[in-house]
Every structure is written in C-alpha cells, then in structure tokens.
Amino acid sequence: MKNETQEIQNQTGELTDGFHLLMDALEMNGITNIYGLLGIPVTEVGRMWQARGNKFYSFRNEQNAGYAASVAGYLTKKPGVCLTVSAPGFLNGLTALANATTNCFPMILISGSSEREIVDLQQGDYEEMDQLNMARPHCKAAYRINRPEDIGVAVVRAVRAALSGRPGGVYLDIPARLFSQTMSAEEGKKSLWVPVDPAPAQIPAPEAVKRAVDLIKGAKKPLILLGKGAAYAQCDDDIKALVEETGIPFTPMSMAKGLVSDTHPQCGAAARSMVLQESDVVILIGARLNWLLSHGKGKTWGSPKQFVQIDIKADEIDSNVPIAAPLVGDVQSCVNALRAGLKGMAKPTEWMNAVAERAAGSRSKLASKLSTPTPIMNYHNSLGTIRDVLKNYPDIILVNEGANALDNARMVIDQYQPRKRVDTGTWGVMGVGMGSAVAAAAESGKPVVAICGDSAFGFSGMEFETITRYNLPVTVIIMNNGGIYRGDEANPEHQFSCMKFNPETRYDMFGKSLGGEGVRVETPEDLAKALEASIKSGKPTMIDAIIDPAAGVESGRIGNLNIVSTIGKKK
Ligand code: OXT
Ligand code: ADP
Ligand code: MG
C-alpha cells in the first residue's frame, strides 16, 4: 500500500484520505449535521467535521443519535446521518436504523468496523462483528466501502437508496483502515458527485387515476385519510387544496396531524370512529393499512369499504385487504392528478355536516373533561392546560411518547401546521423522545416541547444532558404517574411491582443536575406557568408534572392488544 501511495504521490502531488473524502462527499450532498457518538475508529471524523464548521451532535447512546438522524430525515426530506463506532455502537445504532426503515424515514447509519480479514476468520479483533450482514435485514440497503476511491459512489448510492421510492434506512460500513488510506487528491475530487434527482417524481398511470376519480365521484360518504407519508412528501398546499376543493372530510394519522390543521372545519379527527365505520370510499394518502388501522378490516371499519390508496411502493397495495383503486406514485403527483380529475365534483355536504356535528359534540365533551379539576392532576386536565399554552405557539414541534401520555396527548393537543408532531411511530417505540427533540430543535431552529411518560423518558433520559450541552430550546414535560401505564399497582410479596418506579424520583432535580432548569408542578395552573416561562426563556427545561398514579389505563388506547392470562385468576 505504501509503495502504491508513494507512486500516486509522485505522479500527482497532493494526497487526500478516507477521512477527507467521506466528509467531502457528505458535504457535497448537503449534509451539515451529523448525530453520533465517537470512539475508535471514528473519533477523528467528528473532530474534523466540527473543524470544517459543520455541526456534530454528540450523544450519550447511539440509539438516541440514530433516532435523531431519522427524525432529521423525516423533517427535512434529506437523509439524516448517524455515525457510530464498531460492534456495540453499531448495534445500538441499528435499532434506530431499523426503526427509520419501518417508519419510511431516510437515514444513513455510518459505522466504523474492524478489519475484514480478521473479522472474516473470526480471529477476535477489537469489537469484531460482521456488521454489514447484521445490518442487511434491517434496512433498505447496506454497502461496505473497501477503497478510498469508492467513497464517493458509496455516499451517492446511500443517498439515492435512502430517498428514492419509499424512503428508508441505509447502512454504510467503513473498515477502520480505510479512513487513513490515501489517494491522489485530484483523483479523489473526481470520484465525488451529487446524484441528479434522487427522489424522482413517480407519475400515476392515467387509467389508474381515472379509476380512482370514478370511484370517488360515485361515493356518498368519502373520507380522506392522511398518513405520515403524506406529511413527509412536503406538498402541503396541494393536499389542503384537494381537501377543500372536494369538500371531503379528512382524518389524520398521528404524525399527519396538522398537515391540514386539526381545527379545519373538515377535520374529522374528533369523529374518528364514525368516519372509519360509516365512510364508503376511503382515500388513503401515504398511510398503510397496518395494525394502526386495524389492517383495514374488522369492527373498526364497520360498513364495507372501497379503498383508493396513494403510495409510492407498488407492493404496499393489497397488503391487507383488496384495494379497489391503487394509485402508485408520489403523493404530490397523485394528489394533483386526483384534483384535476375531480374538478367541479359535487361536494358531499350532507355527509360532511354529519361528521362536523359529531366532531363538535366530541370536542365539547372533551372540553369539559379538560377543565375539570381533580385533587391530583390527571391526563385530561394537565394536557388541556398544555394544549391551551401551545395554541399560541403553532410552530413548536411536539415530541410525544408514552402510553397514556401518548394517546391522550394525541387526542387533546391540536396541531396547526405540517410536521409539527413527532412520536413513537409505526412500532410504538419508547425512547425516541430525547433524540427526536434534539433533531427537531437542531433542524428547525425552533422551540420544541417533548411530552413523555416517565417510563418512556427513562429510555433516553440521559440525553437531556445533550440538550443542555447544545443549549437547545427544548422543554421536556414528564407525565410522572410513577409507572408504566399506572403507578398504583400493589406490590407482590417481598418485591416492588414490575410496573412501578421509585415514587421519590425527582425529574426536576435530575434536569437541574444536568445543567438545565427544573420545575416540579402539581396543578394545571403551575404547569401552564412553567411551560410558558420555559418556552419564553428558550432554556432547556425539565418539568416534572405529578399525575395521579391511578389515572392511566393499561396500554393506553391499545389495551385491546394486551394479552393476559385468565388461568388461576378470579373472574
Ligand atoms: O371517535 P372515538 O369515539 O373513537 O374517539 C376517538 C376520537 O374521535 C377522539 N378525538 C377527539 N375527541 C375530542 N376532541 C378531539 N380533538 C379529538 N381528537 C380525537 O378521541 C378518540 C381517540 O382518537 P385517536 O387517538 O385518534 O384514535 P384511536 O382510536 O386511539 O386510534 C387508534 C390508533 C391505534 C391509531 C392510536 O391509538 C395510535 O396511534 N396508537 C399508538 C399507540 C402506541 O404506539 N403506543 C405505544 C406502545 S404501548 C406499549 O407497547 C408500551 N411499552 C412497551 C415498550 C415499547 N413500546 N417500546 C420499547 C422499546 N420497549 C417497551 C412501554 C414500556 S408503552 C410503555 C411505557 C408506558 O409508560 P409511560 O410512563 O411512558 O406512559 P404512561 O402510560 O403515561 O404511564
Ligand atoms: P401512518 O403511520 O401515518 O399511517 P405509514 O408510515 O403507515 O403512515 O405509511 C406511510 C406510507 O407513505 C408508506 O407506505 C410509504 O411507502 C408512503 N410514502 C412515503 N413517502 C411517499 C411519497 N413521497 N409518495 C407516496 N407515498 C409515500
Ligand atoms: Mg408513566
């Protein structure tokens, strides 16, 4: 290798190496933020990245850095990049990569790895692991770079794989030695490029559009169901125009809340059961008929339906139930094709009015619960207060995790703008909170509020130090009910209940000890004051909100999925 290097140097003068080429390639592809955790063999990447004036968000655990990268990808429509060390660091990051792929978020996980010849013979290298093969089943694409001259093509392939078609996670494996391998700087420069149109529009076939248009025009009770794929697509005005031009009620999946405002007169979120059950034609836009939609069947869906499904991935169609009118293409192209075909269609006014009436009824019922005081705060009156404060800050990004803390916040807190809600996603993952909050603040430059169950927060709590270190304008509200779902379970003999936490835990003091502000609140009034003050100050703040340990329900709104034994239990 040395001789080869010498030879190249003699020929061309200046040299470059793997470190520089990787950074040049990432910068060239518009990456400015890297989320990661450093150590052998990638330490120098972080230092050099910062020295070049870029941002490196250094985390306490790679899983959280990975969640941050995936959320950066979702919010910006550019791949979020996470950098880790080999084996254990890689594995920590892999969970987030798999989660990104599951959620259809573009992300690139770059991990240093041990030397191939030792790994392949299983001779026990430092942090030895066949990372490439471990990664493969958990992402859209996985590549290893073996030569410095391939760094450019590898980054381009990673970017294109992450962004094109259904977005997802990509793994780039970089054996340690590659970082310091050299080549001619001139040749190196030539080896880098930016892919042209990495997420090309995919235009739906005219006959598919006609089929969908005919179906929608013939519907008596049509419904538009918006998913996070529609939010990701960033064609917010087109989607709003489709809704308004057709007069069809819409309901959002949780991360699509705000894509068209929750307060829009056509929003049927507060009449969810009714619209799912009574509609006859459902237009799915970037939403899969997975578990979150009861697979498109059963009592959730009531009367028989016909589905129009807009999705970029052809084999998503018919994955659960027959789809009468598939529209395979990108959301923007499909939505605009529908708009053209549906121009002048008769609005389903009677149906829309019935939906609006039901929604208004639910809203007013909920409003009274939200304002009912209780001796100890519950989910309703605490979240009602938060909702009232956040009304005045429609561009704040809300991060949300937990079970009751998640489900009630989704129901109570309105979103007014697109992509302002980031939550546990398709897998319902606890621990996405702090990584998501870092990315949301870093990528948007705006304040972030994270509402976390006390269990959920525990998965990534140490990252509050990351938040204070970068002085990010993040308010974390811990819904402290002392446990998973509830904090009042009786202890079995000689043991602490497996569903409860130490009731002495002081999240406010934890926040302070990590360099942030910390406040404990026990009433809605104090919660409102603390939240308002925190948002105004822009300082990282931890609000420990004491919630009645008896207020939650097992598994939140998905108790139906909970499996219990009936053997030996009293009926
Ligand atoms: O129409 P109806 O009558 O049906 O009413 C609906 C709407 O019309 C109405 N609504 C409204 N009314 C009035 N006004 C307004 N504005 C309004 N908006 C809506 O409200 C209802 C409900 O509406 P919604 O929410 O839209 O509809 P619904 O029916 O709930 O929707 C169904 C779903 C499935 C789409 C929805 O429920 C959903 O998105 N669910 C996601 C659930 C989820 O993902 N949960 C997380 C996983 S739970 C569990 O697995 C947990 N774990 C295990 C674990 C996990 N997950 N991960 C890892 C890495 N390890 C372990 C753990 C450890 S949760 C958990 C921790 C829990 O403890 P915490 O302390 O963190 O949290 P607490 O519970 O707070 O203690
Ligand atoms: P939700 O959980 O909100 O219901 P899902 O994650 O289940 O949403 O579904 C998102 C869907 O959106 C995926 O099937 C994905 O293929 C699709 N998708 C993502 N981006 C686009 C796009 N630009 N155009 C069309 N479909 C998209
Ligand atoms: Mg809890």
Side-chain angles (χ1 to χ4, degrees):
M1 196 69 213
K2 232 182 184 163
N3 287 346
E4 261 175 52
T5 306
Q6 194 61 53
E7 208 174 291
I8 292 167
Q9 195 170 13
N10 291 342
Q11 283 166 13
T12 59
E14 258 189 73
L15 290 180
T16 187
D17 64 11
F19 285 114
H20 287 86
L21 285 165
L22 177 65
M23 281 180 272
D24 291 344
L26 292 173
E27 279 176 359
M28 192 183 247
N29 277 282
I31 307 297
T32 51
N33 295 340
I34 296 183
Y35 302 88
L37 201 162
L38 299 169
I40 298 168
V42 296
T43 314
E44 196 67 357
V45 180
R47 288 205 188 100
M48 290 168 73
W49 187 250
Q50 285 188 313
R52 291 159 78 120
N54 297 309
K55 279 270 185 188
F56 192 96
Y57 288 93
S58 181
F59 279 71
R60 308 297 291 258
N61 183 303
E62 294 86 352
Q63 197 178 101
N64 305 318
Y67 290 143
S70 70
V71 167
Y74 169 69
L75 294 175
T76 64
K77 244 184 149 186
K78 283 192 305 194
V81 174
C82 175
L83 180 71
T84 79
V85 303
S86 25
F90 155 79
L91 279 178
N92 286 344
L94 187 58
T95 305
L97 187 70
N99 185 52
T101 308
T102 300
N103 280 303
C104 317
F105 298 162
M107 167 184 172
I108 302 175
L109 174 68
I110 303 177
S111 297
S113 60
S114 304
E115 298 316 330
R116 288 254 32 91
E117 57 275 23
I118 305 180
V119 173
D120 289 350
L121 277 174
Q122 298 182 18
Q123 292 176 305
D125 204 358
Y126 169 73
E127 295 189 350
E128 174 182 299
M129 176 176 275
D130 185 0
Q131 296 170 199
L132 184 67
N133 283 312
M134 296 289 287
R136 260 191 224 293
H138 305 290
C139 56
K140 246 185 107 176
Y143 308 113
R144 178 184 293 128
I145 314 174
N146 291 306
R147 307 178 305 171
E149 58 266 41
D150 291 336
I151 288 175
V153 67
V155 169
V156 168
R157 296 210 72 192
V159 168
R160 196 176 275 286
L163 292 177
S164 61
R166 172 182 280 177
V170 178
Y171 175 59
L172 270 187
D173 189 82
I174 308 194
R177 196 185 293 144
L178 183 89
F179 286 111
S180 59
Q181 276 179 13
T182 54
M183 67 181 286
S184 142
E186 200 186 319
E187 290 304 310
K189 203 170 168 192
K190 282 192 219 150
S191 71
L192 308 180
W193 78 94
V194 178
V196 174
D197 196 11
Q202 294 189 26
I203 317 292
E207 59 275 21
V209 175
K210 184 172 181 316
R211 195 185 296 123
V213 164
D214 289 347
L215 188 61
I216 297 167
K217 278 187 173 165
K220 293 207 162 42
K221 296 180 171 183
L223 171 69
I224 293 175
L225 209 156
L226 302 171
K228 60 182 174 299
Y232 171 80
Q234 292 196 17
C235 53
D236 314 327
D237 292 345
D238 301 313
I239 290 173
K240 188 162 180 247
L242 174 73
V243 167
E244 292 182 343
E245 286 161 9
T246 59
I248 298 176
F250 71 93
T251 191
M253 297 302 287
S254 94
M255 282 179 62
K257 272 167 74 77
L259 174 48
V260 182
S261 173
D262 280 340
T263 54
H264 191 282
Q266 285 169 250
C267 182
R272 193 171 189 275
S273 298
M274 176 192 178
V275 291
L276 295 192
Q277 283 175 8
E278 293 185 17
S279 53
D280 55 359
V281 171
V282 179
I283 307 157
L284 298 163
I285 308 185
R288 285 168 285 188
L289 284 175
N290 57 14
W291 72 278
L292 287 154
L293 283 170
S294 309
H295 306 282
K297 50 197 170 193
K299 65 178 190 313
T300 305
W301 290 93
S303 61
K305 313 275 141 212
Q306 288 191 289
F307 289 100
V308 174
Q309 182 163 23
I310 295 179
D311 207 291
I312 202 151
K313 196 160 188 296
D315 65 1
E316 182 57 40
I317 310 298
D318 289 334
S319 57
N320 283 276
V321 291
I323 300 297
L327 266 185
V328 175
D330 70 278
V331 167
Q332 185 166 34
S333 303
C334 294
V335 161
N336 285 329
L338 279 186
R339 283 177 64 202
L342 292 170
K343 215 172 213 146
M345 93 169 214
K347 292 186 176 178
T349 312
E350 205 179 310
W351 161 238
M352 184 59 250
N353 289 345
V355 173
E357 195 181 319
R358 173 72 68 94
S362 304
R363 279 180 167 267
S364 81
K365 253 191 236 154
L366 182 66
S368 75
K369 279 193 194 165
L370 301 185
S371 57
T372 305
T374 45
I376 312 175
M377 276 195 295
N378 63 19
Y379 287 96
H380 283 113
N381 49 32
S382 56
L383 288 165
T385 282
I386 297 172
R387 175 176 83 164
D388 291 344
V389 173
L390 293 185
K391 242 182 225 166
N392 302 318
Y393 302 95
D395 60 349
I396 274 182
I397 297 182
L398 180 72
V399 170
N400 191 197
E401 60 179 344
N404 296 281
L406 173 85
D407 293 342
N408 288 297
R410 183 182 60 247
M411 179 173 66
V412 170
I413 297 177
D414 288 325
Q415 306 292 149
Y416 310 91
Q417 296 177 7
R419 296 171 296 284
K420 300 297 183 201
R421 182 182 160 87
V422 176
D423 65 26
T424 54
T426 302
W427 267 351
V429 185
M430 299 301 115
V432 291
M434 295 304 100
S436 302
V438 170
E443 300 293 334
S444 73
K446 301 232 164 85
V448 172
V449 171
I451 300 176
C452 306
D454 50 349
S455 163
F457 173 73
F459 287 70
S460 69
M462 197 60 209
E463 302 299 351
F464 191 71
E465 190 274 330
T466 310
I467 289 169
T468 64
R469 193 164 9 104
Y470 292 99
N471 197 24
L472 296 170
V474 174
T475 307
V476 179
I477 303 172
I478 308 294
M479 305 297 277
N480 185 358
N481 69 342
I484 301 178
Y485 312 136
R486 290 168 73 99
D488 64 345
E489 191 155 301
N491 292 328
E493 220 177 328
H494 308 307
Q495 284 192 62
F496 200 79
S497 158
C498 54
M499 300 304 281
K500 290 199 309 195
F501 301 131
N502 185 345
E504 309 293 319
T505 308
R506 294 291 303 247
Y507 295 97
D508 53 331
M509 288 163 78
F510 177 64
K512 278 188 188 166
S513 78
L514 297 178
E517 304 288 320
V519 197
R520 174 169 263 216
V521 296
E522 300 190 13
T523 63
E525 295 72 31
D526 287 349
L527 175 53
K529 262 189 236 153
L531 177 57
E532 189 80 54
S534 162
I535 294 171
K536 287 212 169 101
S537 76
K539 290 186 190 151
T541 303
M542 181 85 73
I543 300 177
D544 186 9
I546 304 303
I547 304 294
D548 186 348
V553 296
E554 177 108 353
S555 299
R557 290 272 302 172
I558 52 172
N560 57 313
L561 299 181
N562 205 23
I563 296 171
V564 291
S565 166
T566 50
I567 306 291
K569 284 194 182 164
K570 284 188 200 140
K571 287 254 161 89

